[in-house]
Amino acid sequence: MVESGVVPDESERRRLEECVTEPIRTPGRIQSFGMLLVVDVATYTIVTVSENAAPWLGQSVSVLASPTLEWSVTAETHGAPIRVEVGDETFDAVTHSLGDRVLIELEPTGGTPDLPTASVVGAIRSLGMLAGADELRQAVAEEVKRISGFDRVMVYRFFEDGHGEVAGEASEPDMEAYRGLHFPASDIPQQARSLYLTKLSRQIVSTEDEGTPLLSVHESAPLDLSSAELRAVSPHHLQFMRNMGQASTVSFSMIQDDRLIGMITCAHRTERRMPILLRRALEVLTTQVTLQLAALESIAQLRRDLAVREQRAAVLAGIPSSDDPLLTLAENGLELCRLVGADGAILAIDGVSRSVGSVPLTDRSLLLSAAGIEPLSSQELGRTHPALAVLMPGFAGLMVVPVGAHGVLLFFRHEVTRVIRWLGDQTAANRDTALSPRRSFSEWRQSVGGSSLPWGSTAGEARELGRDLARALDRRREAHLAQLALVDHLTGLHNRRSFEHLLEKSVTEVEGGVLLFLDLDGFKAINDRHGHETGDAVLRVIAERLTRGSRVTDVISRLAGDEFVVLSAGATPEDGERFAARLVQEIAQPIDTARGPMSVTASCGIIPIEPGLTAKQLLSAADAAMYRAKNTGRNRVSR
């Protein structure tokens, strides 16, 4: 999907500026097929008329001899049409309140085809069954063409930069197709779009009609016709319509969250009027379709959000428990890039960085320094950040995604050439002057370079990724700190606090078992003679030997200094004694250190795990058994 057009050139800017100055709300004229009256509510005097109703100017509304019309002056119908008789003619009348005055528009009922307003209900029902936005836009065009009888019906959608696309179209077989073509913002300038937010439909009956001027009893400020059905048309727009081969059009506003997100436009090659009742019915259809599109797009976005969230969770799942989170992230690098549609990435976490996929050849640290850590998303670096673009030849898209206090992710996209299909040649060659409408609206293709594919909604998803990654790294840090509180830093075994908790748990959950208490014989002499560094090396080897000689289910702890304990749940006293003897024998083997071979022995006390005793009581009993071993000669086991 093309999410933005090209950067507007100077002529497009001038056209947009020119449109702002045009008095489209106060043209001082109406379309000539109807008539307009402004009535003073206090006196019922007609104070303003269109020129084709000049005889009534200054008269009382009662001279029209139409009780219904006279009633409408104070009826407050709020734009709802009412059928009135004036002389020998029948009109649809629409009233608008103007403070102490009422504006009355009269549209003749003769000369309009008998169009099936009732079929609008059936169209709304059938359109409501559709489940795809693109399918719905096309079906709307076909239904409205069937109901209205106009030669061509187009469904527009607008993008954030103001340009639009013909997203759905139904037309006569001999007409050139416009579906899928884009058009610049100046085709429907901002002040016209503002009118479409308050006036849900707009009928232009004839491109040859310059309009009928308004006459007033007294000179006054120009009459604001923003809400009028008959408001005259900008000469520029009439020429635009003629160049498109249109004689008549009717357009309907698609409004979502107070934004004009699209339009439904009916166009006819000869003059054709649409009755106001049908216009009102199609306004309802348009509102219903807009709500349906919003619902469909919300459902599609929710599905995408769920899928992205699941993919993001899978990519980050291993981070909290990883010994090297950056390596874990890099190993999932391709999935990470696919998550945001990037060609490559630089991952910088806690002072270390890695690259994955296709990235610029520039030195990584230079790129990281130049990109910074503030959020950034650009598909046109050459235009938005030229200094960065110099460091990234071949790449036009960059996203900078902060990862909390931990670092930053840089995502890259290659430069691509996009082909945009335009509704008519957008160059000066297709205009009489820079400010003129295009002469031809045949498809014109433009190749646009210097940009990557748009990041679109992935920019927001990438920011979520950065936040989720930061939270995962925070959890990892918290888990690591919690683990350190339960682990002996020197040996990696459980510390006393952790062991006592596990011992208490074992007493209540496991039946039987033995507790071994080991104290190294002669270890103080090694520390005193060879230093604490050698002593620490000996303790680490002892811890490895205890771990290697124990079962996977056994719990080993360094309580303090040269004291170790082993909990062997479920073991019988006899098995425990054999197990203890094996450990004592293993500990007595020489230990290689930087200061040469060292030898220590161990005295081991062993007791059975008895229910009803606390962890401290069990440790005290095992300690007493260990001292019995020491007192009877050391390097042995005692119960």
Side-chain angles (χ1 to χ4, degrees), residues 457-475:
S457 62
T458 57
E461 293 162 5
R463 288 191 291 273
E464 282 294 321
L465 169 67
R467 287 190 283 267
D468 284 357
L469 176 56
R471 285 191 284 267
L473 291 167
D474 288 342
R475 287 198 303 273

Side-chain angles (χ1 to χ4, degrees), residues 201-213:
S201 66
R202 168 68 159 149
Q203 176 170 234
I204 300 173
V205 171
S206 174
T207 54
E208 302 301 326
D209 178 21
E210 296 181 358
T212 297

Side-chain angles (χ1 to χ4, degrees), residues 438-489:
R438 300 188 294 285
R439 289 192 299 269
S440 168
F441 292 84
S442 295
E443 179 177 341
W444 179 74
R445 298 191 175 213
Q446 181 183 29
S447 294
V448 182
S451 69
S452 70
L453 293 175
W455 292 107
S457 62
T458 57
E461 293 162 5
R463 288 191 291 273
E464 282 294 321
L465 169 67
R467 287 190 283 267
D468 284 357
L469 176 56
R471 285 191 284 267
L473 291 167
D474 288 342
R475 287 198 303 273
R476 175 184 176 275
R477 179 176 291 174
E478 290 164 4
H480 181 63
L481 291 173
Q483 185 181 18
L484 289 178
L486 301 174
V487 171
D488 175 60
H489 297 180

Side-chain angles (χ1 to χ4, degrees), residues 256-275:
Q256 178 185 338
D257 297 331
D258 297 323
R259 294 181 301 112
L260 188 69
I261 64 165
M263 294 172 63
I264 300 173
T265 294
C266 309
H268 208 64
R269 289 172 287 188
T270 58
E271 290 185 12
R272 182 179 180 88
R273 283 200 290 126
M274 183 184 290

Side-chain angles (χ1 to χ4, degrees), residues 236-256:
H236 180 90
H237 187 65
L238 289 175
Q239 185 59 53
F240 180 96
M241 289 175 60
R242 287 192 290 267
N243 289 0
M244 283 195 78
Q246 300 171 344
S248 300
T249 60
V250 185
S251 297
F252 300 91
S253 307
M254 303 176 73
I255 300 170
Q256 178 185 338

Side-chain angles (χ1 to χ4, degrees), residues 96-115:
H96 311 273
S97 177
L98 298 175
D100 59 354
R101 298 172 296 164
V102 169
L103 185 151
I104 303 174
E105 298 182 88
L106 299 174
E107 292 188 23
T109 58
T112 58
D114 185 17
L115 298 174

